[in-house]
Amino acid sequence: MLRLLIHGGFFSESDQTHEVKVAKQNSLKEIAKKSFEFLKSHSAEETVVFAVSLLEDDPLFNAGIGSQIQSDGKIRMSASLMNGENQKFSGVINIENVKNPIEVAKVLMKEDDRVLGGDGAKVYATENGFQDFSTEIPQRRKEYEEKLKNGGKGTVGCVALDKDGKLAAATSTGGKGFEIVGRISDSATVAGNYANSFCAVSCTGVGEDIVSNATATKIVTRVTDGMSIENSFEKTFSELKEIDGFAGAIGVDRNGNVFHQDSHPKMVFASFDGERMEVFE
């Protein structure tokens, strides 16, 4: 029973064109298909890294190439990975000049110190063979120069259930754009990316809201305690609503049940099980 879901942030009809919407739908479908094929012969952990790296490489999304620019004109990215079987979590926070932050997080899985930030994360990446790479694209610079009139929240992520029944989650972001230097998002925390042997969840949206609500952790904990994945999402998002939170999440449980929910339309997502493709509309 293989399951795979991916997300790419949010889509706004008011500031993004129909052409962009179609491009994102097509990209998500292609990445979901490639990642599902990869999942057939790889673990959940390997697959979520593979899928998120493809999302990072696509400038349509706000992670890796195409990341938002912070208030000082620099790009800093965050990404994390969690293996549901062994409950190991690894991540990088505010790393600069690497192509795929999620790949650095993957390498960190072998370390005792598995979450690194800023300069330390960059030094570690360099020592482990990651070359300098600028992830800036002209559109992001234009948005920055206009103080991000068009804004947007476009974290990417993936959750997967592999053939051995193991779960994993991975999440990557280029931030919200024009933020205070040093700001930390939810993406490299267990609020935004969490998995155990019962459930895996990846979030997108406003990091501060997701952290305040402990969104991913709450959903997974509730599934672990016996609540259905649907009810776990609905309960957690009802609590998010109490703080007027902005978030979306994708999840899969160990029985192959998948669910996704957002507090504001439309979360950009795709789900594929080898036969049925579901993509945001």
Side-chain angles (χ1 to χ4, degrees):
M1 185 186 299
L2 305 178
R3 294 289 185 271
L4 182 128
L5 290 86
I6 58 175
H7 71 71
F10 282 82
F11 176 83
S12 171
E13 302 280 1
S14 63
D15 59 31
Q16 292 178 294
T17 66
H18 178 71
E19 287 73 21
V20 169
K21 179 180 180 179
V22 172
K24 287 187 174 184
Q25 289 171 328
N26 291 337
S27 177
L28 288 172
K29 288 178 183 177
E30 186 66 20
I31 290 173
K33 288 178 181 178
K34 287 181 179 179
S35 300
F36 187 85
E37 191 64 28
F38 187 89
L39 179 60
K40 290 180 179 179
S41 56
H42 293 80
S43 70
E45 179 184 317
E46 292 169 324
T47 300
V48 296
V49 171
F50 176 80
V52 169
S53 68
L54 294 179
L55 289 161
E56 288 176 335
D57 289 345
D58 191 328
L60 284 169
F61 305 107
N62 175 29
I65 297 171
S67 290
Q68 296 279 8
I69 300 173
Q70 296 190 355
S71 59
D72 64 348
K74 294 183 178 180
I75 291 172
R76 297 177 181 89
M77 302 164 288
S78 298
S80 68
L81 167 67
M82 190 159 186
N83 183 310
E85 180 189 22
N86 59 27
Q87 294 250 242
K88 282 189 175 183
F89 181 99
S90 63
V92 291
I93 297 171
N94 287 334
I95 192 170
E96 298 180 49
N97 296 317
V98 295
K99 184 182 180 185
N100 295 109
I102 194 62
E103 295 283 358
V104 184
K106 178 183 178 182
V107 175
L108 274 165
M109 269 292 191
K110 66 179 173 35
E111 307 288 356
D112 292 330
D113 304 324
R114 292 192 296 273
V115 181
L116 300 180
D119 292 342
K122 175 58 177 171
V123 169
Y124 180 85
T126 300
E127 290 176 347
N128 282 271
F130 291 87
Q131 298 180 347
D132 273 4
F133 185 93
S134 173
T135 55
E136 183 179 319
I137 59 173
Q139 177 61 26
R140 293 302 189 212
R141 178 57 58 180
K142 179 181 178 182
E143 291 172 359
Y144 170 75
E145 290 171 350
E146 296 176 353
K147 296 193 175 181
L148 305 182
K149 287 180 182 177
N150 296 324
K153 297 155 181 80
T155 298
V156 304
C158 178
V159 294
L161 172 68
D162 66 26
K163 61 183 182 298
D164 297 318
K166 297 174 184 177
L167 295 157
T171 308
S172 182
T173 188
K176 65 180 182 180
F178 220 70
E179 60 265 69
I180 296 171
V181 176
R183 180 250 185 188
I184 294 172
S185 75
D186 66 289
S187 297
T189 75
V190 294
N193 189 75
Y194 195 65
N196 65 11
S197 61
F198 291 85
C199 185
V201 172
S202 172
C203 297
T204 182
V206 175
E208 286 74 10
D209 295 345
I210 293 167
V211 169
S212 294
N213 187 51
T215 304
T217 308
K218 279 184 176 179
I219 293 170
V220 172
T221 300
R222 283 169 169 152
V223 173
T224 302
D225 289 344
M227 192 178 287
S228 71
I229 190 170
E230 180 177 354
N231 289 340
S232 297
F233 265 79
E234 291 175 351
K235 173 66 173 174
T236 303
F237 272 79
S238 71
E239 294 166 344
L240 183 71
K241 187 176 181 180
E242 292 174 5
I243 61 171
D244 194 29
F246 189 122
I250 57 174
V252 58
D253 69 19
R254 64 178 178 177
N255 297 316
N257 299 305
V258 298
F259 202 76
H260 56 83
Q261 189 167 342
D262 48 42
S263 61
H264 295 70
K266 301 174 178 175
M267 181 176 61
V268 173
F269 75 93
S271 172
F272 187 56
D273 62 7
E275 295 182 1
R276 182 172 177 267
M277 173 72 71
E278 181 185 7
V279 68
F280 82 101
E281 296 180 353

